[in-house]
Amino acid sequence: MSLKDYRFDGSKKLDLKKLPTDSKHDDVDKEKILAKTAANLTKISELQDKLYADGREGLIIVLQAMDAAGKDSTIKHVMSGINPQGVDVTSFKSPSSEELTRDFLWRFNKVIPARGKIAIFNRSYYEDVLVVQVKEFNKTYHQADRVINTKSKAFFEKRYTHIRNYEDYLYDSSYRIVKIFLNVSKEKQKERFLERIDTPSKNWKFSANDIVERGLWDKYHDVYEDVVNNTSSKEAPWYVIPADQKWYARYLVSEAILDALKKIDPQYPVMPDDEQARLEDCRNQLLNEKN
Ligand code: ATP
Ligand code: MG
């Protein structure tokens, strides 16, 4: 399997039970993958420099996952090749009371990057159809009856539509969106939780609530599948990436980002003739400086 098998752009349905969470199916060699990832990071860095200089399109990378799938370390790793000036990372936690008094896209729209920049969303508006749907938080919303007194499914079908429209809107506003679901197995999550519990320097990464969420694993997976199948499009594809081996997940993430940057195909601005002539003047002035 290769990146395209993990890409969902509306042309095929996701069946999460059938998709691998590890690298074994792909018959890959770790050393080779590490080398390819390093090469990808170099290319990403070059393209990001051009993206920034060009300033015509922005890139939004959405990261979603169950706990301990490796969102944070993926971000750290991918960022290692990127000029910090050109990228913003935002983590979205449970909404504040101020955020809850607004429409659900409000807090995201505030941090849409300037064109030329990359934004990484560590969790995103997809939480508003994921955790909110799994835990039925919508029923607690302080909103008009006509909004929350609908059947729960109808409420989320509408949100899927709003998200599709929002992503179309961003695409038409000169942005690209890459959506990544780090698909970790339940066994691997257990292993990583135990490591977090047993290693003092990792204790802070663990919270008792993680066990509560784990208890809802099947429900989350059903909803993830539904969400991907309802919000995949050519313009804003989902990548459902096997995440049991971090080195492999990072490689596939780097491929997905590289693919998006190549589609943008950013170019360094070419100076108009008159500015080129002015540069020549400046050059001469510098060369003829006395002292
Ligand atoms: P880590 O992997 O380090 O645990 P995290 O992203 O899980 O990072 P946490 O602070 O543990 O960070 O969790 C953030 C929590 O916020 C998640 O449980 C997520 O479901 C929740 N959350 C995010 N958006 C919303 C939302 N719109 N409504 C309710 N809960 C939300
Ligand atoms: Mg967490």
Side-chain angles (χ1 to χ4, degrees), residues 67 123 196 205 207 210:
D67 284 306
R123 300 190 188 269
R196 288 178 179 188
K205 287 189 183 179
S207 94
D210 292 350

PDB file of all heavy atoms in Angstrom, residues 67 123 196 205 207 210, ligand 2:
ATOM      1  N   ASP A  67      -6.291   9.388  21.727  1.00  0.00           N
ATOM      2  CA  ASP A  67      -5.154   9.738  22.581  1.00  0.00           C
ATOM      3  C   ASP A  67      -3.963   8.819  22.323  1.00  0.00           C
ATOM      4  O   ASP A  67      -4.140   7.645  22.007  1.00  0.00           O
ATOM      5  CB  ASP A  67      -5.546   9.629  24.056  1.00  0.00           C
ATOM      6  CG  ASP A  67      -6.390  10.805  24.502  1.00  0.00           C
ATOM      7  OD1 ASP A  67      -5.946  11.950  24.305  1.00  0.00           O
ATOM      8  OD2 ASP A  67      -7.497  10.564  25.024  1.00  0.00           O
ATOM      9  N   ARG A 123      -5.974  18.902  16.782  1.00  0.00           N
ATOM     10  CA  ARG A 123      -7.424  18.838  16.941  1.00  0.00           C
ATOM     11  C   ARG A 123      -8.014  20.073  16.253  1.00  0.00           C
ATOM     12  O   ARG A 123      -7.316  21.039  15.996  1.00  0.00           O
ATOM     13  CB  ARG A 123      -7.882  18.760  18.407  1.00  0.00           C
ATOM     14  CG  ARG A 123      -7.342  17.529  19.133  1.00  0.00           C
ATOM     15  CD  ARG A 123      -8.025  17.373  20.486  1.00  0.00           C
ATOM     16  NE  ARG A 123      -7.422  16.333  21.281  1.00  0.00           N
ATOM     17  CZ  ARG A 123      -7.831  15.064  21.258  1.00  0.00           C
ATOM     18  NH1 ARG A 123      -8.827  14.699  20.484  1.00  0.00           N
ATOM     19  NH2 ARG A 123      -7.251  14.168  22.019  1.00  0.00           N
ATOM     20  N   ARG A 196       3.341   5.821  29.713  1.00  0.00           N
ATOM     21  CA  ARG A 196       3.134   7.138  30.315  1.00  0.00           C
ATOM     22  C   ARG A 196       2.946   7.022  31.837  1.00  0.00           C
ATOM     23  O   ARG A 196       3.361   7.893  32.588  1.00  0.00           O
ATOM     24  CB  ARG A 196       1.921   7.827  29.691  1.00  0.00           C
ATOM     25  CG  ARG A 196       2.195   8.292  28.273  1.00  0.00           C
ATOM     26  CD  ARG A 196       0.996   8.936  27.596  1.00  0.00           C
ATOM     27  NE  ARG A 196       1.385   9.355  26.247  1.00  0.00           N
ATOM     28  CZ  ARG A 196       0.627  10.087  25.452  1.00  0.00           C
ATOM     29  NH1 ARG A 196      -0.547  10.504  25.838  1.00  0.00           N
ATOM     30  NH2 ARG A 196       1.065  10.444  24.242  1.00  0.00           N
ATOM     31  N   LYS A 205       1.730  13.459  30.668  1.00  0.00           N
ATOM     32  CA  LYS A 205       0.993  13.264  29.417  1.00  0.00           C
ATOM     33  C   LYS A 205      -0.276  12.456  29.606  1.00  0.00           C
ATOM     34  O   LYS A 205      -1.076  12.309  28.694  1.00  0.00           O
ATOM     35  CB  LYS A 205       1.869  12.518  28.401  1.00  0.00           C
ATOM     36  CG  LYS A 205       2.978  13.336  27.815  1.00  0.00           C
ATOM     37  CD  LYS A 205       3.610  12.541  26.692  1.00  0.00           C
ATOM     38  CE  LYS A 205       4.793  13.268  26.091  1.00  0.00           C
ATOM     39  NZ  LYS A 205       5.401  12.482  25.027  1.00  0.00           N
ATOM     40  N   SER A 207      -3.838  11.396  31.583  1.00  0.00           N
ATOM     41  CA  SER A 207      -4.880  11.840  32.510  1.00  0.00           C
ATOM     42  C   SER A 207      -5.902  10.711  32.654  1.00  0.00           C
ATOM     43  O   SER A 207      -6.110   9.919  31.723  1.00  0.00           O
ATOM     44  CB  SER A 207      -5.538  13.130  32.008  1.00  0.00           C
ATOM     45  OG  SER A 207      -6.688  12.831  31.274  1.00  0.00           O
ATOM     46  N   ASP A 210      -8.286   9.836  30.033  1.00  0.00           N
ATOM     47  CA  ASP A 210      -7.876   9.070  28.843  1.00  0.00           C
ATOM     48  C   ASP A 210      -8.492   7.665  28.862  1.00  0.00           C
ATOM     49  O   ASP A 210      -8.804   7.095  27.819  1.00  0.00           O
ATOM     50  CB  ASP A 210      -6.344   8.964  28.757  1.00  0.00           C
ATOM     51  CG  ASP A 210      -5.701  10.326  28.475  1.00  0.00           C
ATOM     52  OD1 ASP A 210      -6.448  11.277  28.169  1.00  0.00           O
ATOM     53  OD2 ASP A 210      -4.463  10.427  28.548  1.00  0.00           O
TER      54      ASP A 210
HETATM   55 MG    MG B   2      -5.430  13.779  25.739  1.00  0.00          MG
END
